[in-house]
């Protein structure tokens, strides 16, 4: 996959105010927006989100232990779209999220998909679990994906350490996350959309005041590009790199669990 090698210079987001990421707040917020979540994702991204998740899924490479291909883990799975994209690529996927209304929607999608397209690989029903305390043994997975999830976790380094624990050595980490475009004109335009229009549309459809203002705020404070690659490196991941999608409004990060 054409993942851009990390250049030496960091690219940190502009100064942004701290965001309230207390787990109970985050869980409740996603619980409130869950029914409108898919519709808003597709609407606010002009359906590009489907393409981004497919792109992440296609970067997945199976990792075998003996004769068995290790399953993949989709963390912060939300309504399950990233996990389903991985399944479509042939992965056996465990999906987890700490917000029950999101997991309930993911479970329903898993069931519907299995009914419509029966056959291997069988995947367990998505489960309720906190990214900071995963109910899985060490070295269990050949790959982990997190799409638009890590930015919401209260302790990014602890989440990366937990992902590293459950990945087998050499296991792949794929992270989709929003970023700011690098070109100044595009960045200005995007910031206008992100700060003004998106919260307005999000609020009208989800009827949640906070969630779609939280989105741009949380993106602005999350490390981007080289900044995030460095965080993965500090957590014990090697070969960190990223690929820019949609003119740089999203990055697909990849790394491997160092032995
Ligand atoms: C923006 S949604 C992304 C959902 C999905 N991955 C997608 O691509 O649409 C973020 C998700 O992260 C989950 N989340 C946030 N913090 C979490 C944590 N500590 N453990 C598990 N899930 C978490 C939220 O409940 C929410 O469903």
């Amino acid at each position: 996959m054409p993942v851009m090698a990390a250049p030496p210079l960091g690219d940190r987001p502009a100064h942004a105010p701290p965001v309230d990421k207390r787990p109970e707040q985050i869980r409740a917020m996603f619980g409130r927006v869950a029914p409108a979540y898919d519709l808003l994702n597709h609407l606010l991204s002009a359906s590009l989100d489907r393409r981004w998740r497919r792109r992440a899924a296609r970067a997945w490479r199976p990792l075998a232990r003996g004769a068995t291909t290790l399953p993949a883990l989709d963390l912060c799975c939300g309504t399950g779209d990233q996990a389903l994209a991985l399944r479509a690529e042939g992965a056996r996927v465990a999906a987890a999220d700490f917000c029950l209304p999101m997991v309930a929607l993911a479970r329903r999608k898993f069931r519907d998909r299995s009914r419509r397209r029966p056959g291997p690989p069988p995947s367990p029903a998505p489960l309720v679990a906190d990214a900071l305390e995963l109910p899985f043994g060490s070295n269990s997975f050949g790959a982990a994906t997190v799409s638009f999830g890590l930015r919401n976790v209260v302790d990014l380094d602890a989440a990366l350490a937990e992902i590293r624990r459950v990945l087998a050595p050499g296991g792949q980490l794929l992270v989709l996350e929003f970023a700011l475009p690098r070109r100044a004109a595009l960045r200005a335009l995007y910031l206008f959309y992100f700060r003004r229009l998106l919260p307005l549309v999000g609020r009208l459809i989800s009827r949640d005041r906070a969630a779609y203002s939280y989105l741009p705020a949380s993106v602005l404070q999350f490390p981007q590009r080289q900044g995030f690659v460095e965080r993965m490196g500090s957590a014990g991941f090697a070969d960190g790199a990223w690929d820019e999608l949609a003119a740089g409004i999203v990055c697909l990060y990849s790394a491997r669990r160092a032995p």
Side-chain angles (χ1 to χ4, degrees):
M1 194 196 126
V3 174
M4 190 189 291
L9 289 178
D11 180 9
R12 297 185 186 285
H15 173 73
V19 177
D20 184 357
K21 291 191 188 177
R22 279 173 299 164
E24 60 277 16
Q25 299 278 108
I26 297 291
R27 194 185 287 113
M29 179 182 73
F30 281 109
R32 290 194 304 273
V33 300
Y37 180 78
D38 284 345
L39 171 68
L40 273 164
N41 263 351
H42 305 329
L43 191 71
L44 294 170
S45 74
S47 278
L48 284 173
D49 63 308
R50 301 177 207 262
R51 199 182 294 180
W52 298 331
R53 292 192 192 86
R54 246 191 334 262
R55 182 80 175 264
R58 287 184 181 152
W60 167 74
R61 297 286 174 271
L63 182 72
R65 185 155 55 198
T68 316
T69 299
L70 290 171
L73 170 66
D74 182 47
L75 204 50
C76 302
C77 69
T79 61
D81 284 355
Q82 184 62 69
L84 288 172
L86 268 175
R87 272 178 63 162
E89 294 299 315
R92 196 157 41 101
V93 187
D97 194 292
F98 76 169
C99 173
L100 179 59
M102 286 288 201
V103 172
L105 290 166
R107 284 179 182 154
R108 192 185 310 160
K109 279 191 201 169
F110 264 50
R111 271 199 308 272
D112 291 350
R113 186 67 60 93
S114 301
R115 223 172 278 142
R116 272 188 282 131
R117 283 190 224 158
S123 292
L127 50 88
V128 177
D130 192 326
L132 298 176
E133 210 177 350
L134 292 171
F136 305 114
S138 302
N139 307 336
S140 304
F141 295 98
T145 52
V146 196
S147 297
F148 311 107
L150 275 181
R151 147 181 69 81
N152 305 295
V153 175
V154 67
D155 186 339
L156 172 62
D157 300 312
L160 287 170
E162 185 63 347
I163 295 170
R164 185 185 186 280
R165 181 186 71 76
V166 299
L167 276 178
Q172 190 182 22
L173 172 60
L174 294 163
V175 174
L176 273 177
E177 200 45 87
F178 289 110
L180 292 181
R182 292 205 235 209
R183 287 202 198 130
L186 194 57
R187 183 188 281 239
L189 203 63
Y190 182 68
L191 277 173
F192 175 74
Y193 167 75
F194 213 44
R195 284 185 174 140
R196 308 261 172 231
L197 295 185
L198 182 145
L200 195 68
V201 177
R203 196 178 313 151
L204 283 175
I205 294 184
S206 73
R207 300 183 184 278
D208 193 89
R209 276 195 145 270
Y212 288 84
S213 303
Y214 163 85
L215 170 59
S218 63
V219 170
L220 291 177
Q221 63 78 227
F222 192 75
Q224 296 180 17
R225 299 184 176 82
Q226 181 63 13
F228 183 64
V229 165
E230 283 167 14
R231 296 289 277 272
M232 291 193 291
S234 305
F237 289 91
D239 304 331
W242 76 86
D243 200 11
E244 295 192 352
L245 314 184
I249 63 171
V250 167
C251 287
L252 171 58
Y253 298 93
S254 66
R256 290 203 170 270
R257 187 200 138 158

